[in-house]
Each structure stands twice: as structure tokens, then as C-alpha cells.
Amino acid sequence: MKKLFVTLALAVMAITASAQFKSVDIKGDLRHDLGLGVGVTAGIVKSIDFAPSFNYYFVDHGHLWTIDADFHYNFELGHDFTIYPLVGLSVCNWGAEHVDSTTKLGVNLGGGVKYAINKNIGIFTECKYQWVDGNDDTFFAIGVNIGI
């Protein structure tokens, strides 16, 4: 598992190094519990963005966090609206008090909508399904993009 995590981290760094940063993203995540996330959005080519993020969920008597590496394919709708399907990978870690934590690799699939309030600030919402062996879940997020 450590080799897989290191390989994924190196791939994320390589993609991010060649990309143009667009924004810092701050979001609230909703599932059966509440979470907060922070990430960046970077343009790779004209319509494709790379959006890695770290998300922490507030769970009773334990912890849950994810590192997501999502790709968005943007469709500009005019009037500052953009819709996008997304696909990506996720590293999930969860555990309870007095129990060893578990880390697994997952796949994200979903979509979202962005609205640019002005050239530096936007809002977004997205929904994604996360396939993780034994712990599949649906996530809904609402957030703000702050231009870099």
C-alpha cells in the first residue's frame, strides 16, 4: 500500500508541476456526516482541470480523511457558468478509537457546476460517488474558488 501511495503522490506532483494554477478551493462536504476540504484547481489543457484536494470528516469516536485527485472536463455555458463531469482517484483513511486505521484506494465519478462571481471568486457545487472496497459513498459539496 505504501508503494501505491508514493506512486500516486509522485503522479499528482508531476501533473501539478506542469499545470497552470487557477484557484484555491475551500468546501464543505456532506454525506452521512460533515466534512471540510481544501484543494487547488489547475488547468492542464484548454477544457481539462486537475483538482486535488484533502478532505476531513467529523465522525464520532474516530477519524476519516480522503485525498482526492480528480479531473474535470469543462463545458462553458456562458454567463460565467461551467458544468463538468469528473473522474478521479481517492486515498481514504478511516479508523475508530483503539483500532488500527485502514487505508484504501478508491475511484471517484461525478459532476459539478461552477459560477464565476467575478474574475477572482467563484462558487461551485458537486456531487460524486466514491467506490472504495467495502465503503462506497455519495458526496455532495458546496464551496468557493479563490483565484490565484
Side-chain angles (χ1 to χ4, degrees):
M1 185 55 135
K2 288 181 184 179
K3 289 180 185 178
L4 180 62
F5 184 71
V6 169
T7 302
L8 182 61
L10 290 174
V12 166
M13 286 189 290
I15 291 169
T16 305
S18 66
Q20 177 185 353
F21 287 101
K22 292 182 173 181
S23 66
V24 172
D25 310 324
I26 302 166
K27 61 184 173 177
D29 296 310
L30 305 171
R31 13 175 265 152
H32 61 276
D33 45 27
L34 177 66
L36 294 174
V38 64
V40 296
T41 298
I44 297 176
V45 294
K46 183 180 177 187
S47 296
I48 299 175
D49 288 341
F50 177 58
S53 65
F54 174 80
N55 306 285
Y56 184 84
Y57 297 91
F58 302 97
V59 296
D60 292 332
H61 310 293
H63 71 273
L64 170 62
W65 56 260
T66 65
I67 298 173
D68 295 336
D70 295 333
F71 292 90
H72 303 171
Y73 189 88
N74 298 310
F75 294 97
E76 303 291 332
L77 298 180
H79 301 295
D80 301 319
F81 278 98
T82 303
I83 63 169
Y84 56 91
L86 70 84
V87 63
L89 295 176
S90 183
V91 176
C92 304
N93 182 281
W94 62 92
E97 291 179 10
H98 311 295
V99 177
D100 289 340
S101 63
T102 302
T103 303
K104 292 188 178 181
L105 187 63
V107 175
N108 299 327
L109 183 63
V113 177
K114 293 187 249 185
Y115 175 71
I117 295 171
N118 60 42
K119 68 178 188 171
N120 293 319
I121 297 175
I123 56 175
F124 68 94
T125 183
E126 66 184 27
C127 183
K128 64 182 168 184
Y129 188 78
Q130 192 172 70
W131 283 280
V132 179
D133 185 29
N135 290 310
D136 297 357
D137 213 341
T138 302
F139 297 82
F140 180 72
I142 299 172
V144 62
N145 307 98
I146 302 167
I148 297 177

